[in-house]
Amino acid sequence: MITSVFSKSRPINYILITTLLVICFTLYQFQSNYNTISTIEIGKKVVLLFLLIGSLFITNFITKKNGLSKDNSYTFLLFFVFFILFPKSLSNGALILSNTFILLALRRLISMQSLITPKEKIFDASLWVFMAALFHFWSILFILLVFVSIIFHVSRDYRNWIIPFIAFFAIIIITVLFSLIFDPEFIRNYINHIAIDFDLKYIENIFQNIALTIYIITALVAFVTMLLILTNKSLNLQSSYKKIIFAFVIGLVIFFISPDKDNSYLIFTFVPVSIMLTNYLETIDKYWIKESILGIIIIASFITYILQLL
């Protein structure tokens, strides 16, 4: 049933998933002390919800516009499911903002395969990455993906290697001006929060552990199968899939080195895993196998989501 519903890109699928996201977001945000939440806080949560919905559609745009999946809604569905698997990711505003900017950067980098206006795309992607770093410093590692894209497509023009640095200085100037006008302590506080922490002893309960185990297995299957089927992809798309693989690895590195981490810091891997797993599902001919994989992931995610609410 799940496979038959999401095997095509139907408007009803997007409406259904968006509605479920709104419901799950609301339940998690307002599960307790609803009457004590101020109007300003409600406004902030509404903004976060729109960013999450926007992230869903940016992800769908990346996959469909660049031919990274067939005519189905699996990536859209899986991206939502991973948010439900780690409900803390629904409330971490800094990570949601940072990940949204990274998705905008990824959109520009994937589209570089067309070789149309590559300099503009390099600058835009670099700018989005550095903006993402303002909200979570270690997302700056995605600038490596910009240079990987340059290597894949336009490495011969030396000017392309300079563009990311121009974007960097542009963000520095804007940040300094913002700090001088609105918050003189912003830069000092930002620098003080830069740290590396490999500690993984953050699990608060068994349900978070179960959720992490489910995701690790899912991500491992998606990553390994993507490596195996990569050579079967058309040559003009292989570089795009390689960028997705690099994005996944960078997302993992960010998770491992981020201080004060929890499962929500895996947010940077959600889109790469969704795209890779979608491609794996598309290679499966037997309906019951595909149905079982999706069913297990979805049911397990909703069960752990409900248990983490209690």
Side-chain angles (χ1 to χ4, degrees):
M1 179 180 176
I2 299 172
T3 302
S4 60
V5 171
F6 292 98
S7 60
K8 296 292 182 182
S9 293
R10 304 181 182 94
I12 188 63
N13 294 349
Y14 303 128
I15 295 172
L16 174 61
I17 295 302
T18 303
T19 303
L20 286 173
L21 176 62
V22 172
I23 293 171
C24 293
F25 178 88
T26 304
L27 287 175
Y28 186 76
Q29 300 294 335
F30 305 117
Q31 59 178 311
S32 62
N33 299 323
Y34 179 83
N35 294 325
T36 63
I37 297 177
S38 67
T39 303
I40 294 177
E41 289 176 336
I42 292 176
K44 289 179 180 178
K45 293 181 187 300
V46 170
V47 171
L48 289 183
L49 178 58
F50 277 108
L51 286 172
L52 287 169
I53 294 172
S55 296
L56 277 174
F57 284 94
I58 293 171
T59 301
N60 189 65
F61 179 86
I62 291 171
T63 54
K64 294 294 182 289
K65 182 72 173 180
N66 299 287
L68 297 180
S69 72
K70 296 179 182 179
D71 187 26
N72 56 61
S73 307
Y74 294 147
T75 303
F76 199 84
L77 169 65
L78 290 167
F79 189 38
F80 157 73
V81 167
F82 294 147
F83 273 112
I84 301 309
L85 187 61
F86 303 124
K88 277 193 173 182
S89 60
L90 296 171
S91 62
N92 194 323
L95 286 182
I96 291 173
L97 275 165
S98 184
N99 186 62
T100 301
F101 289 135
I102 292 301
L103 290 181
L104 291 171
L106 189 61
R107 181 182 72 88
R108 297 297 276 170
L109 293 176
I110 296 295
S111 66
M112 278 182 65
Q113 65 180 352
S114 67
L115 297 179
I116 299 174
T117 61
K119 290 180 173 58
E120 288 85 344
K121 291 174 181 177
I122 293 170
F123 180 79
D124 290 348
S126 301
L127 206 65
W128 290 129
V129 169
F130 292 127
M131 287 182 67
L134 292 176
F135 296 95
H136 181 62
F137 174 76
W138 288 114
S139 60
I140 199 172
L141 292 179
F142 275 98
I143 198 65
L144 296 175
L145 193 59
V146 175
F147 289 108
V148 167
S149 300
I150 293 173
I151 293 171
F152 282 163
H153 303 293
V154 287
S155 59
R156 294 184 179 180
D157 189 342
Y158 74 92
R159 291 172 296 182
N160 293 322
W161 296 93
I162 301 173
I163 294 173
F165 298 98
I166 297 174
F168 174 73
F169 287 114
I171 290 294
I172 289 292
I173 293 170
I174 294 171
T175 303
V176 170
L177 288 175
F178 171 85
S179 179
L180 291 174
I181 297 173
F182 298 104
D183 186 0
E185 295 298 316
F186 174 79
I187 295 177
R188 183 190 302 243
N189 293 333
Y190 180 79
I191 294 174
N192 289 337
H193 281 87
I194 297 174
I196 296 177
D197 185 0
F198 294 99
D199 185 14
L200 296 176
K201 298 177 182 179
Y202 62 85
I203 301 296
E204 298 174 354
N205 55 60
I206 189 173
F207 307 122
Q208 291 181 4
N209 199 12
I210 292 172
L212 182 60
T213 301
I214 293 170
Y215 188 74
I216 289 173
I217 295 172
T218 303
L220 186 61
V221 170
F223 178 68
V224 172
T225 53
M226 187 74 253
L227 292 178
L228 293 176
I229 66 177
L230 181 60
T231 54
N232 296 329
K233 300 293 183 181
S234 59
L235 291 175
N236 63 319
L237 287 177
Q238 285 188 16
S239 61
S240 296
Y241 286 112
K242 288 176 182 177
K243 292 174 196 175
I244 296 299
I245 293 172
F246 275 113
F248 170 68
V249 174
I250 292 171
L252 278 183
V253 173
I254 292 173
F255 168 72
F256 282 114
I257 68 176
S258 294
D260 304 319
K261 68 173 67 66
D262 55 52
N263 286 344
S264 64
Y265 281 73
L266 286 165
I267 190 173
F268 297 105
T269 66
F270 288 178
V271 168
V273 172
S274 298
I275 293 174
M276 292 189 295
L277 190 58
T278 294
N279 278 265
Y280 170 57
L281 292 172
E282 290 173 351
T283 64
I284 300 175
D285 295 324
K286 293 185 177 180
Y287 175 85
W288 68 270
I289 297 178
K290 191 182 300 185
E291 186 78 10
S292 298
I293 293 172
L294 278 175
I296 290 171
I297 294 173
I298 293 171
I299 292 172
S301 297
F302 272 99
I303 290 175
T304 53
Y305 168 77
I306 294 170
L307 291 174
Q308 289 179 76
L309 287 182
L310 301 177

